[in-house]
Amino acid sequence: MSVDPVAIARALLRCPSVTPNEGGALGFLERTLQAAGFTVHRIRFREPGTEEVENLYARVGTSAPLLVFAGHTDVVPPGDENAWSHPPFAGESDGHALYGRGAVDMKGGIACAVAAVLDYLAAHEPRGSISFLISGDEEGVAVNGMPKLLQWAAARGERFDHCILGEPSCQNELGDTIKIGRRGSLNGQLIVTGKQGHVAYPQRADNPIRGLVKLIAALHDEPLDQGTAQFAPSHLEFTSIDVGNKTVNLIPGEARARFNIRFNDRHTRDSLKTLIEQRAKSAAEGRIRFALQWEPSNADVFVTEPGPFTELVADAVQSVTGRRPRLSTAGGTSDARFITKYCPVVEFGLVGQTMHAVDEHVPIADLQALTAIYHKIIERYFTASLA
Ligand SMILES: [Zn+2]
């Protein structure tokens, strides 16, 4: 292997790119990819009321199919830097591992993709195109990053065929997990209205806490579904109950509870809202006055159905690690939820154990193995013609 992923990872780790700062990380990628023949664009987006975010799009080749490597160079803050055994933005190594904020989430993954692509291009003329889609605010509000970058690229006529998102998908060992989808997420609030009154004269009041408790129990009790082919059962969890009553002798007039639902591909956000409203209504039996409020959400459920593309990625993983990865839809959201609207996407990257933690680090052996896996994916992709 001629291109060293460790050197690229180290250079990226030295850029203090805490969301939404570019920190020099995109500049480094721009220089590195341009030198390898890529056309590179750095694109800034800013929605009113938010901070400007810089993103990067790079492409080599003009023909189809177009294989995309996606990711983000921004990182979460390091917290107390004194708690780190190696400074978070120094890219130091102890001989076995490289330390720094973003080592696994996900500058390490980007470094491996860049190294694999550069290595591949040094020896091959791809029968198609390769691009990098790099967002600068995945760890932030994610409005000026991937969603706008994808729109921008689509407006330029970019047609993506398949995408690998290099988020840290693995659980314990490199190669154990490929993520092929995510549950959707929906936040709601249940509000029960009663009648305020003196606690000594409950007959003159109507305590909304009684009704709220009954509705919460009803919504908790019945499962939302039994799971689907690629997903665990959907789950509703109450996260807060709020009455805000500061006195001891008052029956409150209103009680609220907040909840989150992680839902699978049996539901859409709208069908789920209808289902929850029906269940609350039947539990209320016409006696509890309630309302449901829903927060806006951009976290839809999605899945890339297992097929030739997921097989190609799994085969590449197995050929390097000896491990057959499981196809998972567990965990929180990622930029894959935006990319899936443009092309099939799978997430495969490093082991996520130290992400967002003090002393985030990546074994050097994992960087080398992931580079070899990405290289195999590219090689096979351009001979398999899946598009
Ligand atoms: Zn990430």
Side-chain angles (χ1 to χ4, degrees), residues 72 105-106 138-139 167-168 356:
H72 61 90
D105 184 13
M106 58 163 284
E138 198 273 344
E139 304 286 13
E167 288 280 2
H356 296 207

Side-chain angles (χ1 to χ4, degrees), residues 37-51:
F38 277 81
T39 304
V40 183
H41 305 266
R42 287 170 70 175
I43 313 111
R44 294 181 170 86
F45 299 113
R46 179 176 185 179
E47 207 152 276
T50 62
E51 286 187 86

Side-chain angles (χ1 to χ4, degrees), residues 71-72 74 104-107 138-139 165-168 333-335 347 355-356:
H72 61 90
D74 63 314
V104 293
D105 184 13
M106 58 163 284
K107 290 173 171 178
E138 198 273 344
E139 304 286 13
L165 176 61
E167 288 280 2
T333 60
S334 76
D335 276 343
E347 288 174 66
M355 62 182 179
H356 296 207

